Structures are given as structure tokens and as C-alpha cells.
Amino acid sequence: EELIIDILEAVFARVDACLNSAADAGVSSGVLNTEGAREVGDLRQAYHLLLNTVANVQLLGILPKALSQQRLERVLSGIVLDAATNSSIAGRKLCIATVKMIITEWFVGA
């Protein structure tokens, strides 16, 4: 379990860093350019797929151990926000399915 926790921590930290880097690189004069916005959108989609995969392979139970409270809150608030606002129907469905799995695992199944 410790190895999985270390791997999840490293992967989520790296994806966070990539998202922040892409957002910073895409901003010019305080406005996100089209290329930067597209890259950030692609990375957010990959982030959602990562979280969905973690849920599907039943690793949600150890996710709070692997992520800091701040990162966990950022992950959860981001996926809930994207469940409502993602421009892609498929993206919203993925986020909703992931949120449903999180709720089922952490609150209903607890």
C-alpha cells in the first residue's frame, strides 16, 4: 500500500505541475491564448481520466492518504466544477461518473 501511495502522490504532483506550467505558459498579458487554453483543457481532461482510473481500480480508499489535504481539495473541487461547466458532454459525463464513484466509496460505502 505504501508503494501505491507514493506512486499516486508523485503522479498527482506531476500532473498538477504540468497543469500549472501550461496555464502559466498560455497566459500572455493576463489573457489565456487559444493554444494555451487548448493545452490546459487537454491536461484537465487527462487529470479527470487519471482520477476516474483511480476510482475504477478501487484506489479511492487510499487517495486521501496519498494526497495532501490542499491537493485533495483542489482535485475534488476541480472535478465537481468541471462536472457542471466542462464544454464537452463527454467530459461532463466523465466528471459526473467520477464524482458518483467518490461519493459511493467515501460516503455511502463507508
Side-chain angles (χ1 to χ4, degrees):
E1 185 176 291
E2 279 298 314
L3 179 61
I4 294 171
I5 289 171
D6 291 345
I7 291 169
L8 287 174
E9 183 179 34
V11 168
F12 274 92
R14 182 66 182 141
V15 174
D16 268 352
C18 288
L19 270 171
N20 293 334
S21 175
D24 291 344
V27 174
S28 58
S29 306
V31 178
L32 191 63
N33 65 36
T34 305
E35 181 73 23
R38 189 173 307 123
E39 185 173 344
V40 169
D42 290 347
L43 284 169
R44 289 185 68 77
Q45 181 72 10
Y47 204 53
H48 300 327
L49 286 169
L50 171 63
L51 188 55
N52 185 270
T53 301
V54 166
N56 278 315
V57 295
Q58 301 174 348
L59 292 176
L60 283 175
I62 64 170
L63 197 59
K65 297 176 191 174
L67 305 181
S68 68
Q69 183 68 31
Q70 183 182 19
R71 179 166 288 133
L72 187 61
E73 288 175 9
R74 198 168 47 247
V75 167
L76 296 177
S77 63
I79 200 155
V80 169
L81 177 65
D82 279 359
T85 62
N86 194 297
S87 61
S88 158
I89 292 171
R92 288 192 303 271
K93 284 182 175 183
L94 176 70
C95 292
I96 290 168
T98 305
V99 169
K100 180 182 174 188
M101 285 187 272
I102 290 169
I103 291 169
T104 301
E105 173 72 24
W106 289 353
F107 301 107
V108 176

